[in-house]
Amino acid sequence: MAFFTIIIPLYNKESYIENTINSILNQTFTDYEVFIVNDCSTDDSVVKVKPFLSEKIKLIEHSENKRLSAARNTGIQNANSDYITFLDADDLWKPTFLETIHQLITNFPEAKIFGTNYEEVYENKIVVPKNSASELTPNSAQIIDFFKYNLGQGIYNHGSVCFHKCVYEKAGLYDESIDFAEDLDFNIRANYYFKLAYSNTIQMQYFMETGLQLTRSSILNKRLPDFDKYDAFTKENNALTKYLAFERYVLAKHIKTDGGYELYKKISSKIDYSYLNWKQKMLLKLPAFILKLIKAIKEVLIKKGVKITSY
């Protein structure tokens, strides 16, 4: 049995998938199996994948397009390993990603979630995210409270994290009834029940151009996560209370920017504003057209290597 199961959800990534697979083949830790879950791609993604297929790298075909959560769940259900990790079909791992995760597993047996920092790639610019990894000792590894350190940009993303299979048994699989912020929804459940061992070394490259296309499109027609169902968790975790206030702020601002004023009012009414900073409170009060302008300016600046946030 391989030590790691690596799951690659695949949908129309013919220009990227070869580099993604090669970043796995270049890992210094090589005890793994790979499941590429093709979610009915309509381009040549599968053609690009086939030369890589082997006993170690296998292709699973969906009979219909079921989207990201379902593709991940299919991979999990086929996994033979105790440790499950993911890499989107347009992202890359540094050669030592799996080695770093294996070291976290060895050093912190009490944890069941293992994550690392990452970097963002915009065209020819590489940007280190402005997250709480900078508050930790450089090149360090430790058990951290996900909710305490995740009040801003994520300290890991789903291409720089690994879960023991027991996390899925306890917290459940990815929610296939939503198609926006699926990772966030799962992270709340997973980190509520289990400890996170974290390395703030950068072990993954997150290619943002595809993500920017998604953030440019409206989320009003998306099926959104329901944060209300996690309010009961806050009775035992105050850091989660603050985290939910932050995530409701992010969602409400996004919805207001897209013109969904009634939904904005509903979500913003449940925010505990005592947990927001002055910039966040101010932004929520701005009209949608100004929020759109700010968003456009931020996109221009990020391509120049300058990143500003309200965090």
Side-chain angles (χ1 to χ4, degrees):
M1 183 176 73
F3 191 87
F4 290 108
T5 293
I6 302 165
I7 298 166
I8 304 177
L10 178 62
Y11 181 73
N12 288 356
K13 292 293 192 299
E14 64 179 4
S15 299
Y16 308 96
I17 184 61
E18 291 173 295
N19 287 337
T20 297
I21 296 173
N22 279 321
S23 80
I24 295 173
L25 295 175
N26 290 333
Q27 290 296 296
T28 56
F29 187 95
T30 60
D31 188 9
Y32 57 76
E33 64 177 5
V34 181
F35 289 108
I36 302 170
V37 183
N38 179 41
D39 197 32
C40 294
S41 295
T42 58
D43 65 359
D44 283 338
S45 291
V46 172
V47 173
K48 298 295 181 72
V49 163
K50 283 185 176 179
F52 294 97
L53 298 181
S54 65
E55 284 298 310
K56 203 167 187 174
I57 302 176
K58 297 179 180 178
L59 178 67
I60 300 173
E61 297 269 13
H62 274 175
S63 58
E64 60 181 293
N65 179 256
K66 298 180 180 180
R67 302 197 176 188
L68 178 61
S69 289
R72 287 178 175 160
N73 289 342
T74 294
I76 294 165
Q77 290 160 352
N78 281 274
N80 299 303
S81 308
D82 287 338
Y83 296 95
I84 299 171
T85 188
F86 305 88
L87 188 59
D88 283 352
D90 53 359
D91 294 328
L92 303 175
W93 280 340
K94 303 284 188 178
T96 53
F97 172 73
L98 289 180
E99 180 182 338
T100 302
I101 295 294
H102 183 262
Q103 196 64 52
L104 288 172
I105 292 168
T106 302
N107 292 346
F108 302 100
E110 69 272 33
K112 298 300 178 186
I113 308 171
F114 311 90
T116 78
N117 204 4
Y118 55 96
E119 60 191 11
E120 300 170 340
V121 181
Y122 298 85
E123 293 182 350
N124 296 320
K125 295 283 184 180
I126 294 178
V127 179
V128 177
K130 291 187 175 181
N131 59 22
S132 296
S134 60
E135 299 175 13
L136 305 172
T137 303
N139 301 316
S140 66
Q142 58 205 280
I143 299 286
I144 64 171
D145 185 331
F146 172 86
F147 302 114
K148 176 181 177 181
Y149 283 93
N150 220 50
L151 297 173
Q153 189 166 349
I155 53 173
Y156 66 70
N157 64 52
H158 250 61
S160 69
V161 67
C162 175
F163 301 97
H164 190 280
K165 67 178 182 181
C166 69
V167 176
Y168 297 102
E169 294 166 358
K170 177 71 174 179
L173 297 174
Y174 295 90
D175 188 346
E176 297 181 24
S177 71
I178 61 176
D179 51 20
F180 183 83
E182 306 97 319
D183 298 352
L184 190 158
D185 175 78
F186 178 77
N187 280 331
I188 293 173
R189 287 180 274 133
N191 285 278
Y192 174 75
Y193 289 114
F194 296 98
K195 292 181 179 180
L196 165 65
Y198 182 72
S199 167
N200 63 356
T201 61
I202 292 173
Q203 299 293 337
M204 181 258 187
Q205 287 192 317
Y206 185 32
F207 282 72
M208 298 297 294
E209 285 309 299
T210 344
L212 281 176
Q213 292 168 13
L214 291 173
T215 58
R216 291 187 192 112
S217 62
S218 174
I219 65 169
L220 299 182
N221 60 346
K222 300 285 188 180
R223 297 170 296 173
L224 306 176
D226 177 15
F227 295 134
D228 294 355
K229 64 185 178 182
Y230 298 120
D231 283 338
F233 287 2
T234 63
K235 296 176 182 177
E236 300 176 16
N237 190 324
N238 187 60
L240 176 56
T241 305
K242 189 172 183 179
Y243 177 78
L244 287 176
F246 170 76
E247 292 299 348
R248 283 185 169 115
Y249 151 74
V250 173
L251 186 59
K253 182 163 67 75
H254 199 157
I255 289 169
K256 188 176 186 180
T257 303
D258 288 348
Y261 193 65
E262 291 304 315
L263 183 55
Y264 156 78
K265 287 195 298 183
K266 178 182 177 181
I267 294 175
S268 62
S269 69
K270 297 181 179 180
I271 298 173
D272 187 336
Y273 284 83
S274 66
Y275 289 117
L276 302 187
N277 63 37
W278 68 269
K279 290 185 290 184
Q280 293 163 349
K281 294 174 184 177
M282 178 192 70
L283 286 168
L284 281 180
K285 293 179 180 179
L286 293 176
F289 78 92
I290 295 181
L291 291 174
K292 287 182 180 179
L293 178 61
I294 292 172
K295 185 177 179 181
I297 292 171
K298 288 172 67 175
E299 286 190 15
V300 172
L301 289 175
I302 197 67
K303 290 183 178 181
K304 298 179 181 295
V306 178
K307 188 163 189 175
I308 57 174
T309 75
S310 62
Y311 309 152

